[in-house]
Amino acid sequence: LSSLGAGLFVASAHPVAPVLATLLFVGFFLLFVWQPRLGLFSIPLFLPALNFSPWTGWLMVDEFDLLVLAVLAAGYFQMLRVGFRLKHMSAFLLLLATVVLLVALGAHDLAARDLDWFSAYATPLNSFRLGKSLLWSVLLLPLFAPAGQNASPNKATTDFFLACVLGSVWVVLAVCWERDFFPGLLDFSTPYRTVALFWEMHQGGAALDAFLVLVAPLLVWAWRATTSQTLRLALGAFVLAFVYVCLTTFSRGVLGAIAGSLILLSALLTWRRVKGGQATPVFNPASVLMLFLVSLEVALVLGSATFMNKRLAASEHDFAGRLQHWEQGIGLLKTPKDWLLGIGLGKLPSRLTKSEAGPALPGSYFLQQDAAQRTMVIAGPDGTIDANNDWKFGGLYALSQRVELISGQRYKFSMDTHSEQAVQMLVQVCAQHLLYPARCQGRRIGLRAGGWQHWESKLSGYPFKTGAWQSVGRGVFLLSVLTPGANVEIANLQLSVGGGNLNLLRNSQFLDGGAGWFPAVRSYFLPWHIDNLYLEILIETGLAGLFGFLALIFLIVRRLVKAYRQGNPLAAYFLSSIAGLMALGLLVSVLDMPRVATLFALFLLCAWHCQQQPG
């Protein structure tokens, strides 16, 4: 009832399509009641696609949460209907209480004004945003017990593997769609890093990286499990596309973690073959051809003139900067209590930017309500960041909204502003996916200090050429404050084309709060991530949390090793995926991206239920 009620409440509050969201939530709930197996299967299947934050403006919840709530409501309903009783109820309740305590400690200073669907990451509600992946994991735990009661001991595991592989199709298609739009499928020299449909990366992060590392070993499982020549041909083409996606992240961590996980997987499979008495390897022609094609693809993408080689050449410099950033994060632990229990779940962004040695904020925004009207306040970068010479891309931080790209027209923009000092602003309409604009129309704005003033002008720049399917959803309106330390109050925004007065902006007077508005950041992501999984856990949950996490990983790995030695071949893929993610965690944060954090937790839950398989 709690899951069902929460799902209906969240769906009815959807900023864009509340009726559709509610109908879909109820529909999925009924589907999972009718076919319980589809519930857990659907989570990794739809995980890469269910987030529409650039359109909704939601930061604390998203459409993926609605799917999880539907699975939970249907799953617990089935458990109630069949009279299922969890064996280790006390352990389950202890885990649930621990998660609730972590969220409560992180949000201890939560005030009524912070209870907003569109709260930013520096608010106390960020504790819930990060904690919900832990909450989903614990609440899903009892559902894995009924799922494991199949005729085949590992049927639930193979279903999970299949769902992850099918879910990666969303990622491959999204990256091809993204790169075909800009910079181009075969352009490997332009500095462009893909994000697929992981919109959480609007302020940096490694959601796509973590997803690829977790799923990569499962493609080997799919290849080895496929016997049909037709399916193997299709899978081979998909593997090449998946490798292309991995390479075009241009992430040194992704390539290193996947290479290491596949080496570990090869060693485990070789050990199993030798133990089975097959000392000489069997060279399957299809597998040999696949390895050759993958090697050729790697050589082509990582050629001498590619963006990746520039990143590799800058590794030493980048690592020095990363060390300095890690020192800033560790500096937040000032007392023995901080070292033991951490500063609080979700507190890293707010504490890091407020510390003296921490990174400066490139900007921010917040709603302001007075007796007359509701307005939005956009803050410029901190004084240590000079964005005045970087206006081409809208500075480093912008308030954004998805708008329609209209062919052959120049945009016109107007707004009312108020500032206590003279400021420079930048307004743009760009064709872009998330982080990098392909083309923009824009205008730099100079505002005087004083009372409210009205500003309007046509934007300069070439008209857009639209009509291709790749450009759907790629129009982005961006508004930035370029003057360091300045705050600008804005109201009555209007964006139109030609001589028309139709406003292309939704919620332009902010009557619906932050609905439709989304923060956009370029190039500078230090304030929101510590770029290390282990430091992330240490800083926010202390040595107690880090020890608990490492102890959990140790127990699961030991269980997997035992299962593999006793004859379960699926354990090798879990070991490889977990090892890859743990290696990637040396260079990126993971838990601050709730969708991939939930996927990682699902890997751990499935791995715990990975049992011995005869033969």
Side-chain angles (χ1 to χ4, degrees):
L1 288 175
S2 299
S3 300
L4 189 62
L8 290 171
F9 176 68
V10 173
S12 64
H14 195 278
V16 176
V19 175
L20 178 61
T22 303
L23 291 175
L24 287 174
F25 172 77
V26 173
F28 273 111
F29 166 71
L30 295 175
L31 175 65
F32 300 149
V33 169
W34 176 50
Q35 293 290 338
R37 265 188 59 202
L38 294 179
L40 293 177
F41 188 86
S42 69
I43 294 180
L45 175 63
F46 293 114
L47 180 146
L50 281 183
N51 183 301
F52 300 96
S53 294
W55 290 268
T56 64
W58 268 355
L59 294 178
M60 294 298 110
V61 295
D62 55 36
E63 292 76 9
F64 175 69
D65 298 323
L66 287 173
L67 175 66
V68 176
L69 287 168
V71 173
L72 289 171
Y76 279 95
F77 174 78
Q78 283 292 342
M79 291 172 62
L80 177 66
R81 187 174 64 85
V82 301
F84 180 82
R85 292 292 181 269
L86 194 63
K87 293 181 180 179
H88 306 289
M89 179 61 74
S90 57
F92 167 71
L93 293 177
L94 178 62
L95 285 173
L96 187 59
T98 301
V99 171
V100 172
L101 180 62
L102 283 173
V103 173
L105 290 175
H108 71 277
D109 53 346
L110 183 67
R113 65 179 181 276
D114 297 319
L115 296 175
D116 186 359
W117 299 106
F118 314 101
S119 290
Y121 301 145
T123 66
L125 207 58
N126 194 46
S127 177
F128 167 76
R129 187 183 74 88
L130 268 65
K132 67 183 180 182
S133 58
L134 301 177
L135 180 63
W136 299 154
S137 307
V138 175
L139 292 176
L140 287 169
L141 178 60
L143 305 188
F144 277 84
Q149 296 176 351
N150 295 292
S152 171
N154 283 315
K155 183 66 169 64
T157 300
T158 56
D159 284 350
F160 176 72
F161 283 1
L162 179 60
C164 289
V165 172
L166 292 176
S168 66
V169 174
W170 294 104
V171 175
V172 171
L173 292 176
V175 168
C176 292
W177 175 56
E178 175 184 358
R179 288 190 61 83
D180 186 48
F181 173 74
F182 178 71
L185 288 172
L186 300 180
D187 183 347
F188 305 124
S189 58
T190 299
Y192 186 100
R193 299 185 64 187
T194 51
V195 300
L197 301 178
F198 290 102
W199 307 110
E200 303 94 322
M201 297 173 68
H202 68 117
Q203 292 183 334
L208 176 61
D209 301 22
F211 180 89
L212 295 174
V213 169
L214 284 171
V215 174
L218 304 188
L219 295 182
V220 178
W221 164 81
W223 180 263
R224 288 167 57 87
T226 302
T227 56
S228 167
Q229 293 301 320
T230 303
L231 287 177
R232 178 160 285 193
L233 182 63
L235 181 60
F238 179 74
V239 168
L240 293 177
F242 187 90
V243 172
Y244 170 85
V245 170
C246 296
L247 294 172
T248 53
T249 62
F250 296 109
S251 169
R252 295 155 292 190
V254 167
L255 300 186
I258 290 179
S261 67
L262 294 181
I263 290 172
L264 173 61
L265 179 59
S266 299
L268 291 171
L269 296 177
T270 300
W271 177 85
R272 179 177 175 82
R273 187 175 62 247
V274 172
K275 185 181 178 183
Q278 187 180 345
T280 58
V282 177
F283 292 100
N284 185 295
S287 299
V288 173
L289 176 61
M290 196 71 243
L291 287 174
F292 171 76
L293 292 176
V294 168
S295 301
L296 181 62
E297 185 179 16
V298 172
L300 289 173
V301 176
L302 301 184
S304 58
T306 65
F307 176 46
M308 185 64 189
N309 280 324
K310 297 176 184 177
R311 287 182 57 78
L312 290 172
S315 295
E316 184 176 350
H317 176 267
D318 291 347
F319 188 69
R322 198 176 294 264
L323 283 176
Q324 181 181 4
H325 187 46
W326 290 345
E327 290 175 359
Q328 293 172 346
I330 294 176
L332 299 178
L333 303 175
K334 301 182 181 300
T335 67
K337 179 184 176 182
D338 290 341
W339 279 96
L340 180 61
L341 299 177
I343 62 174
L345 192 66
K347 290 293 187 183
L348 179 63
S350 59
R351 291 285 187 91
L352 193 60
T353 53
K354 290 177 182 177
S355 65
E356 294 182 0
L361 272 175
S364 61
Y365 69 88
F366 58 91
L367 284 167
Q368 183 166 288
Q369 178 74 54
D370 57 28
Q373 62 180 346
R374 175 179 286 183
T375 59
M376 183 74 79
V377 177
I378 307 180
D382 287 349
T384 53
I385 297 178
D386 181 14
N388 285 297
N389 296 322
D390 197 18
W391 68 273
K392 181 179 179 183
F393 298 109
L396 299 176
Y397 188 95
L399 180 66
S400 76
Q401 184 175 133
R402 297 280 158 157
V403 297
E404 182 183 358
L405 283 182
I406 300 177
S407 179
Q409 298 284 340
R410 286 180 59 186
Y411 287 80
K412 182 175 67 175
F413 177 67
S414 66
M415 64 176 174
D416 296 331
T417 66
H418 172 261
S419 176
E420 298 298 331
Q421 66 183 89
V423 298
Q424 293 286 316
M425 297 185 70
L426 177 68
V427 57
Q428 289 180 305
V429 176
C430 295
Q432 70 180 63
H433 182 73
L434 183 65
L435 300 177
Y436 306 89
R439 176 179 288 182
C440 294
Q441 293 183 29
R443 179 76 65 182
R444 193 161 182 166
I445 305 170
L447 301 175
R448 65 180 184 273
W452 282 95
Q453 56 186 295
H454 182 75
W455 182 94
E456 66 176 83
S457 175
K458 281 191 174 182
L459 306 186
S460 62
Y462 293 105
F464 297 106
K465 297 179 180 179
T466 62
W469 67 272
Q470 296 96 330
S471 64
V472 175
R474 303 305 179 87
V476 182
F477 168 82
L478 300 144
L479 187 62
S480 304
V481 173
L482 303 180
T483 304
N487 285 359
V488 180
E489 194 174 358
I490 59 174
N492 301 320
L493 280 62
Q494 175 152 342
L495 181 72
S496 57
V497 293
N501 293 318
L502 177 64
N503 195 352
L504 300 177
L505 295 173
R506 296 185 296 110
N507 190 27
S508 59
Q509 298 185 33
F510 311 107
L511 299 178
D512 296 325
W517 296 101
F518 191 62
V521 182
R522 184 185 71 85
S523 303
Y524 179 75
F525 310 121
L526 294 180
W528 298 279
H529 313 279
I530 198 61
D531 293 328
N532 186 291
L533 169 63
Y534 308 98
L535 286 181
E536 177 184 24
I537 297 174
L538 172 65
I539 293 170
E540 294 196 337
T541 64
L543 289 170
L546 181 60
F547 175 79
F549 171 73
L550 295 177
L552 176 64
I553 297 297
F554 173 77
L555 291 175
I556 290 175
V557 168
R558 186 178 69 171
R559 189 178 178 95
L560 288 171
V561 170
K562 181 179 179 181
Y564 190 64
R565 294 182 64 182
Q566 292 178 344
N568 190 337
L570 300 180
Y573 301 99
F574 278 123
L575 286 168
S576 301
S577 292
I578 293 172
L581 196 283
M582 298 294 284
L584 181 69
L586 294 170
L587 297 174
V588 305
S589 303
V590 176
L591 300 185
D592 57 1
M593 298 286 169
R595 279 195 289 169
V596 291
T598 302
L599 182 64
F600 181 41
L602 290 178
F603 266 84
L604 298 180
L605 289 176
C606 285
W608 182 263
H609 287 87
C610 190
Q611 302 295 325
Q612 175 184 355
Q613 177 173 301

